[in-house]
PDB file of all heavy atoms in Angstrom:
ATOM      1  N   ALA A  29      49.336  21.198 -38.986  1.00 87.00           N
ATOM      2  CA  ALA A  29      50.730  21.511 -39.158  1.00 87.00           C
ATOM      3  C   ALA A  29      51.577  20.798 -38.146  1.00 87.00           C
ATOM      4  O   ALA A  29      52.696  20.220 -38.208  1.00 87.00           O
ATOM      5  CB  ALA A  29      51.069  23.019 -39.136  1.00 87.00           C
ATOM      6  N   VAL A  30      51.119  20.849 -36.886  1.00 86.00           N
ATOM      7  CA  VAL A  30      51.679  20.242 -35.667  1.00 86.00           C
ATOM      8  C   VAL A  30      51.756  18.849 -36.026  1.00 86.00           C
ATOM      9  O   VAL A  30      52.850  18.064 -35.574  1.00 86.00           O
ATOM     10  CB  VAL A  30      50.987  20.449 -34.394  1.00 86.00           C
ATOM     11  CG1 VAL A  30      51.564  19.614 -33.257  1.00 86.00           C
ATOM     12  CG2 VAL A  30      51.127  21.981 -34.034  1.00 86.00           C
ATOM     13  N   LEU A  31      50.679  18.108 -36.484  1.00 91.00           N
ATOM     14  CA  LEU A  31      50.747  16.642 -36.667  1.00 91.00           C
ATOM     15  C   LEU A  31      51.815  16.293 -37.673  1.00 91.00           C
ATOM     16  O   LEU A  31      52.522  15.264 -37.480  1.00 91.00           O
ATOM     17  CB  LEU A  31      49.314  16.222 -37.113  1.00 91.00           C
ATOM     18  CG  LEU A  31      49.207  14.679 -37.440  1.00 91.00           C
ATOM     19  CD1 LEU A  31      49.496  13.857 -36.236  1.00 91.00           C
ATOM     20  CD2 LEU A  31      47.806  14.299 -38.042  1.00 91.00           C
ATOM     21  N   VAL A  32      51.830  16.950 -38.819  1.00 92.00           N
ATOM     22  CA  VAL A  32      52.744  16.792 -39.793  1.00 92.00           C
ATOM     23  C   VAL A  32      54.125  16.874 -39.228  1.00 92.00           C
ATOM     24  O   VAL A  32      54.962  16.011 -39.703  1.00 92.00           O
ATOM     25  CB  VAL A  32      52.569  17.727 -40.985  1.00 92.00           C
ATOM     26  CG1 VAL A  32      53.764  17.558 -41.974  1.00 92.00           C
ATOM     27  CG2 VAL A  32      51.296  17.406 -41.710  1.00 92.00           C
ATOM     28  N   ALA A  33      54.420  17.993 -38.404  1.00 88.00           N
ATOM     29  CA  ALA A  33      55.785  18.146 -37.859  1.00 88.00           C
ATOM     30  C   ALA A  33      56.127  16.872 -36.918  1.00 88.00           C
ATOM     31  O   ALA A  33      57.214  16.462 -36.972  1.00 88.00           O
ATOM     32  CB  ALA A  33      55.821  19.384 -37.051  1.00 88.00           C
ATOM     33  N   ARG A  34      55.158  16.358 -36.189  1.00 88.00           N
ATOM     34  CA  ARG A  34      55.475  15.246 -35.282  1.00 88.00           C
ATOM     35  C   ARG A  34      55.709  13.973 -36.160  1.00 88.00           C
ATOM     36  O   ARG A  34      56.577  13.179 -35.835  1.00 88.00           O
ATOM     37  CB  ARG A  34      54.343  15.105 -34.350  1.00 88.00           C
ATOM     38  CG  ARG A  34      54.065  16.164 -33.413  1.00 88.00           C
ATOM     39  CD  ARG A  34      55.030  16.192 -32.231  1.00 88.00           C
ATOM     40  NE  ARG A  34      54.613  15.396 -31.100  1.00 88.00           N
ATOM     41  CZ  ARG A  34      53.928  15.754 -30.174  1.00 88.00           C
ATOM     42  NH1 ARG A  34      53.419  16.939 -30.019  1.00 88.00           N
ATOM     43  NH2 ARG A  34      53.557  14.881 -29.122  1.00 88.00           N
ATOM     44  N   ILE A  35      54.974  13.838 -37.221  1.00 93.00           N
ATOM     45  CA  ILE A  35      55.201  12.660 -38.128  1.00 93.00           C
ATOM     46  C   ILE A  35      56.584  12.783 -38.833  1.00 93.00           C
ATOM     47  O   ILE A  35      57.208  11.735 -38.686  1.00 93.00           O
ATOM     48  CB  ILE A  35      54.112  12.621 -39.148  1.00 93.00           C
ATOM     49  CG1 ILE A  35      52.792  12.346 -38.677  1.00 93.00           C
ATOM     50  CG2 ILE A  35      54.432  11.605 -40.268  1.00 93.00           C
ATOM     51  CD1 ILE A  35      51.582  12.460 -39.503  1.00 93.00           C
ATOM     52  N   ARG A  36      56.886  13.816 -39.068  1.00 91.00           N
ATOM     53  CA  ARG A  36      58.222  13.998 -39.763  1.00 91.00           C
ATOM     54  C   ARG A  36      59.310  13.815 -38.865  1.00 91.00           C
ATOM     55  O   ARG A  36      60.350  13.261 -39.074  1.00 91.00           O
ATOM     56  CB  ARG A  36      58.393  15.346 -40.536  1.00 91.00           C
ATOM     57  CG  ARG A  36      57.353  15.633 -41.732  1.00 91.00           C
ATOM     58  CD  ARG A  36      57.847  16.717 -42.606  1.00 91.00           C
ATOM     59  NE  ARG A  36      56.985  16.948 -43.680  1.00 91.00           N
ATOM     60  CZ  ARG A  36      56.748  16.199 -44.775  1.00 91.00           C
ATOM     61  NH1 ARG A  36      57.487  15.203 -44.998  1.00 91.00           N
ATOM     62  NH2 ARG A  36      55.828  16.518 -45.628  1.00 91.00           N
ATOM     63  N   ALA A  37      59.285  14.241 -37.635  1.00 87.00           N
ATOM     64  CA  ALA A  37      60.164  14.045 -36.501  1.00 87.00           C
ATOM     65  C   ALA A  37      60.348  12.543 -36.267  1.00 87.00           C
ATOM     66  O   ALA A  37      61.527  12.049 -36.180  1.00 87.00           O
ATOM     67  CB  ALA A  37      59.775  14.823 -35.208  1.00 87.00           C
ATOM     68  N   VAL A  38      59.188  11.715 -36.150  1.00 89.00           N
ATOM     69  CA  VAL A  38      59.378  10.476 -35.967  1.00 89.00           C
ATOM     70  C   VAL A  38      59.997   9.727 -37.130  1.00 89.00           C
ATOM     71  O   VAL A  38      60.814   8.762 -37.009  1.00 89.00           O
ATOM     72  CB  VAL A  38      57.914   9.742 -35.707  1.00 89.00           C
ATOM     73  CG1 VAL A  38      57.994   8.304 -35.730  1.00 89.00           C
ATOM     74  CG2 VAL A  38      57.327  10.327 -34.313  1.00 89.00           C
ATOM     75  N   LEU A  39      59.594  10.176 -38.338  1.00 90.00           N
ATOM     76  CA  LEU A  39      60.158   9.501 -39.539  1.00 90.00           C
ATOM     77  C   LEU A  39      61.678   9.748 -39.738  1.00 90.00           C
ATOM     78  O   LEU A  39      62.390   8.816 -40.015  1.00 90.00           O
ATOM     79  CB  LEU A  39      59.465   9.967 -40.663  1.00 90.00           C
ATOM     80  CG  LEU A  39      58.015   9.570 -40.936  1.00 90.00           C
ATOM     81  CD1 LEU A  39      57.364  10.279 -42.023  1.00 90.00           C
ATOM     82  CD2 LEU A  39      57.999   8.021 -41.061  1.00 90.00           C
ATOM     83  N   ARG A  40      62.104  10.861 -39.272  1.00 85.00           N
ATOM     84  CA  ARG A  40      63.586  11.130 -39.305  1.00 85.00           C
ATOM     85  C   ARG A  40      64.460  10.057 -38.311  1.00 85.00           C
ATOM     86  O   ARG A  40      65.388   9.698 -38.662  1.00 85.00           O
ATOM     87  CB  ARG A  40      63.865  12.561 -38.776  1.00 85.00           C
ATOM     88  CG  ARG A  40      63.572  13.568 -39.955  1.00 85.00           C
ATOM     89  CD  ARG A  40      64.298  14.882 -39.617  1.00 85.00           C
ATOM     90  NE  ARG A  40      63.648  15.588 -38.482  1.00 85.00           N
ATOM     91  CZ  ARG A  40      62.647  16.309 -38.445  1.00 85.00           C
ATOM     92  NH1 ARG A  40      61.935  16.539 -39.604  1.00 85.00           N
ATOM     93  NH2 ARG A  40      62.195  16.825 -37.375  1.00 85.00           N
ATOM     94  N   ARG A  41      63.718   9.756 -37.183  1.00 79.00           N
ATOM     95  CA  ARG A  41      64.343   8.922 -36.302  1.00 79.00           C
ATOM     96  C   ARG A  41      64.465   7.524 -36.840  1.00 79.00           C
ATOM     97  O   ARG A  41      65.140   6.712 -36.450  1.00 79.00           O
ATOM     98  CB  ARG A  41      63.656   8.912 -34.960  1.00 79.00           C
ATOM     99  CG  ARG A  41      63.604  10.207 -34.277  1.00 79.00           C
ATOM    100  CD  ARG A  41      63.325  10.100 -32.794  1.00 79.00           C
ATOM    101  NE  ARG A  41      62.168   9.269 -32.455  1.00 79.00           N
ATOM    102  CZ  ARG A  41      60.897   9.761 -32.274  1.00 79.00           C
ATOM    103  NH1 ARG A  41      60.677  11.013 -32.507  1.00 79.00           N
ATOM    104  NH2 ARG A  41      59.946   9.059 -31.817  1.00 79.00           N
ATOM    105  N   PHE A  42      63.528   7.209 -37.675  1.00 77.00           N
ATOM    106  CA  PHE A  42      63.315   5.787 -38.247  1.00 77.00           C
ATOM    107  C   PHE A  42      63.963   5.653 -39.621  1.00 77.00           C
ATOM    108  O   PHE A  42      63.780   4.655 -40.315  1.00 77.00           O
ATOM    109  CB  PHE A  42      61.835   5.488 -38.201  1.00 77.00           C
ATOM    110  CG  PHE A  42      61.348   4.981 -36.920  1.00 77.00           C
ATOM    111  CD1 PHE A  42      61.161   5.849 -35.950  1.00 77.00           C
ATOM    112  CD2 PHE A  42      60.980   3.636 -36.612  1.00 77.00           C
ATOM    113  CE1 PHE A  42      60.709   5.433 -34.637  1.00 77.00           C
ATOM    114  CE2 PHE A  42      60.464   3.188 -35.432  1.00 77.00           C
ATOM    115  CZ  PHE A  42      60.287   4.158 -34.560  1.00 77.00           C
ATOM    116  N   GLY A  43      64.637   6.637 -40.050  1.00 71.00           N
ATOM    117  CA  GLY A  43      65.300   6.536 -41.394  1.00 71.00           C
ATOM    118  C   GLY A  43      64.457   6.840 -42.600  1.00 71.00           C
ATOM    119  O   GLY A  43      64.761   6.433 -43.680  1.00 71.00           O
ATOM    120  N   HIS A  44      63.323   7.701 -42.416  1.00 57.00           N
ATOM    121  CA  HIS A  44      62.567   8.130 -43.447  1.00 57.00           C
ATOM    122  C   HIS A  44      62.542   9.701 -43.389  1.00 57.00           C
ATOM    123  O   HIS A  44      62.745  10.191 -42.318  1.00 57.00           O
ATOM    124  CB  HIS A  44      61.062   7.680 -43.351  1.00 57.00           C
ATOM    125  CG  HIS A  44      60.965   6.185 -43.506  1.00 57.00           C
ATOM    126  ND1 HIS A  44      60.901   5.480 -44.627  1.00 57.00           N
ATOM    127  CD2 HIS A  44      60.896   5.208 -42.362  1.00 57.00           C
ATOM    128  CE1 HIS A  44      60.788   4.267 -44.353  1.00 57.00           C
ATOM    129  NE2 HIS A  44      60.776   4.004 -42.997  1.00 57.00           N
ATOM    130  N   ALA A  45      62.237  10.262 -44.441  1.00 45.00           N
ATOM    131  CA  ALA A  45      62.213  11.735 -44.394  1.00 45.00           C
ATOM    132  C   ALA A  45      61.157  12.296 -45.236  1.00 45.00           C
ATOM    133  O   ALA A  45      61.177  13.258 -45.961  1.00 45.00           O
ATOM    134  CB  ALA A  45      63.495  12.279 -44.936  1.00 45.00           C
ATOM    135  N   GLY A  46      60.029  11.561 -45.196  1.00 44.00           N
ATOM    136  CA  GLY A  46      58.835  12.040 -46.073  1.00 44.00           C
ATOM    137  C   GLY A  46      59.067  11.938 -47.548  1.00 44.00           C
ATOM    138  O   GLY A  46      58.645  12.907 -48.187  1.00 44.00           O
ATOM    139  N   GLY A  47      59.795  11.002 -48.018  1.00 37.00           N
ATOM    140  CA  GLY A  47      60.049  10.889 -49.491  1.00 37.00           C
ATOM    141  C   GLY A  47      61.540  10.774 -49.778  1.00 37.00           C
ATOM    142  O   GLY A  47      62.013  10.611 -50.838  1.00 37.00           O
ATOM    143  N   GLY A  48      62.335  11.184 -48.781  1.00 33.00           N
ATOM    144  CA  GLY A  48      63.752  11.123 -48.971  1.00 33.00           C
ATOM    145  C   GLY A  48      64.484  10.138 -48.006  1.00 33.00           C
ATOM    146  O   GLY A  48      63.773   9.502 -47.223  1.00 33.00           O
ATOM    147  N   ARG A  49      65.718  10.308 -47.938  1.00 34.00           N
ATOM    148  CA  ARG A  49      66.482   9.322 -46.959  1.00 34.00           C
ATOM    149  C   ARG A  49      66.864  10.329 -45.616  1.00 34.00           C
ATOM    150  O   ARG A  49      67.386  11.441 -45.931  1.00 34.00           O
ATOM    151  CB  ARG A  49      67.830   8.787 -47.502  1.00 34.00           C
ATOM    152  CG  ARG A  49      67.473   7.929 -48.790  1.00 34.00           C
ATOM    153  CD  ARG A  49      66.555   6.856 -48.423  1.00 34.00           C
ATOM    154  NE  ARG A  49      67.134   5.971 -47.386  1.00 34.00           N
ATOM    155  CZ  ARG A  49      66.392   4.965 -46.733  1.00 34.00           C
ATOM    156  NH1 ARG A  49      65.293   4.769 -47.169  1.00 34.00           N
ATOM    157  NH2 ARG A  49      67.042   4.229 -45.977  1.00 34.00           N
ATOM    158  N   ALA A  50      67.009   9.687 -44.586  1.00 36.00           N
ATOM    159  CA  ALA A  50      67.307  10.538 -43.298  1.00 36.00           C
ATOM    160  C   ALA A  50      68.630   9.903 -42.836  1.00 36.00           C
ATOM    161  O   ALA A  50      69.106   8.931 -43.245  1.00 36.00           O
ATOM    162  CB  ALA A  50      66.229  10.382 -42.312  1.00 36.00           C
ATOM    163  N   GLU A  51      69.192  10.786 -41.809  1.00 41.00           N
ATOM    164  CA  GLU A  51      70.320  10.290 -41.333  1.00 41.00           C
ATOM    165  C   GLU A  51      70.212   9.099 -40.342  1.00 41.00           C
ATOM    166  O   GLU A  51      69.126   8.742 -39.968  1.00 41.00           O
ATOM    167  CB  GLU A  51      70.905  11.408 -40.466  1.00 41.00           C
ATOM    168  CG  GLU A  51      70.234  11.602 -39.075  1.00 41.00           C
ATOM    169  CD  GLU A  51      68.893  12.518 -39.263  1.00 41.00           C
ATOM    170  OE1 GLU A  51      68.560  12.887 -40.360  1.00 41.00           O
ATOM    171  OE2 GLU A  51      68.269  12.890 -38.228  1.00 41.00           O
ATOM    172  N   GLU A  52      71.249   8.261 -40.224  1.00 44.00           N
ATOM    173  CA  GLU A  52      71.193   7.086 -39.349  1.00 44.00           C
ATOM    174  C   GLU A  52      71.240   7.647 -37.894  1.00 44.00           C
ATOM    175  O   GLU A  52      71.676   8.810 -37.544  1.00 44.00           O
ATOM    176  CB  GLU A  52      72.659   6.368 -39.624  1.00 44.00           C
ATOM    177  CG  GLU A  52      72.662   5.704 -40.970  1.00 44.00           C
ATOM    178  CD  GLU A  52      71.644   4.709 -41.155  1.00 44.00           C
ATOM    179  OE1 GLU A  52      71.245   3.943 -40.250  1.00 44.00           O
ATOM    180  OE2 GLU A  52      70.900   4.777 -42.235  1.00 44.00           O
TER     181      GLU A  52
END
């Protein structure tokens, strides 16, 4: 769960949201 949380946090910074769009 921690690994997934860290992955999603990085993806949000890079414009991904694990299948959706993230904020700029």
